[in-house]
Amino acid sequence: MNVTLPCKSLKAALQSVLPHASTDKLQPILRSVHMHVHAGNVLFKATDRHTLGMCRVPLGEFVTTDDESFAVNLPLDDVKALIKFLGTVMDILPVTIGVNESDKVTVEAAYGSMSFISQLGEFPKVRGIVPAIPEPGQAMDVVTYDPQLLAKFSVSARAFRVGKSDPVVTVINPKVGGDIAQVTIGEDFLGLIMMVRHHGSPTAARESWGSIL
């Protein structure tokens, strides 16, 4: 079984889901990135049962497969090494991932190749836990935030670190039509964050609080 796709697409997909892979040695199947072909896409999935990351690369002119049943679990440590390897390959060049009958995975590019053994086991089915997107008119508030702004609260949380653990950062979404959300860290920190867009006006980006501060 083989899948060929641009280096840039493969690298971006792996990097995007890698933070969600488990590091728990008691759950070896979750210490992997599941890669498979489904409905005209190459899908990448990883989860630690607390967060889930999924990324798709549409099959098209620059993405090919010789087997529509292609599926493989890429071990966590090998994914990290693979990302470094892809960093030596030009973004536009094709990269082929092949799996043989002995579960050996071979990644080939113009500048070289690397091999490793796939993680055995059945990756959990995650489709059932993905919530459905509400239909137009259904009551559900959807709010988006600037990731750089959210990251600032992760830095704030380090000030309250206990041992090696950071406290939970909680974002309380505003009421419908509101612009500002509260951010709490433990019992002693309260912050505010400006939302970027509200579902009621998806094209009206709010970049700052303007004159209210």
Side-chain angles (χ1 to χ4, degrees):
M1 299 186 296
N2 293 281
V3 167
T4 300
L5 62 167
C7 176
K8 183 178 181 179
S9 299
L10 174 59
K11 183 166 61 175
L14 293 175
Q15 288 176 324
S16 70
V17 302
L18 182 61
H20 303 279
S22 175
T23 58
D24 185 355
K25 294 183 179 179
L26 298 179
Q27 297 286 339
I29 191 61
L30 297 184
R31 288 174 54 88
S32 68
V33 171
H34 184 62
M35 174 183 175
H36 69 116
V37 174
H38 175 72
N41 298 284
V42 183
L43 301 179
F44 298 80
K45 303 176 184 177
T47 182
D48 61 0
R49 297 184 299 179
H50 299 287
T51 66
L52 169 70
M54 296 189 292
C55 184
R56 69 175 182 177
V57 178
L59 287 170
E61 180 181 357
F62 301 106
V63 182
T64 61
T65 177
D66 64 358
D67 191 337
E68 289 295 329
S69 65
F70 182 99
V72 63
N73 298 316
L74 309 174
L76 177 61
D77 291 338
D78 293 310
V79 170
K80 294 177 181 178
L82 176 55
I83 290 173
K84 290 183 178 180
F85 169 71
L86 295 175
T88 68
V89 181
M90 294 179 61
D91 285 347
I92 61 173
L93 292 181
V95 177
T96 298
I97 298 181
V99 185
N100 65 17
E101 296 179 353
S102 301
D103 298 313
K104 180 180 179 181
V105 181
T106 301
V107 183
E108 295 182 304
Y111 303 145
S113 64
M114 63 176 292
S115 299
F116 50 88
I117 300 299
S118 65
Q119 177 64 57
L120 298 180
E122 184 176 355
F123 197 83
K125 298 184 184 303
V126 300
R127 189 175 184 85
I129 65 173
V130 178
I133 298 176
E135 296 292 334
Q138 287 185 317
M140 180 174 286
D141 202 17
V142 179
V143 181
T144 59
Y145 299 97
D146 185 330
Q148 293 183 344
L149 297 181
L150 287 173
K152 293 181 179 181
F153 293 103
S154 295
V155 177
S156 297
R158 295 172 193 166
F160 308 101
R161 176 175 292 178
V162 177
K164 296 184 179 179
S165 299
D166 290 339
V168 172
V169 177
T170 302
V171 180
I172 304 173
N173 286 343
K175 63 181 180 180
V176 174
D179 293 340
I180 301 170
Q182 293 185 9
V183 182
T184 61
I185 302 174
E187 297 178 354
D188 298 320
F189 180 92
L190 172 65
L192 299 175
I193 184 171
M194 187 75 182
M195 72 181 190
V196 178
R197 289 182 174 86
H198 186 276
H199 77 93
S201 53
T203 61
R206 299 178 177 91
E207 298 177 354
S208 68
W209 283 307
S211 60
I212 69 174
L213 290 180

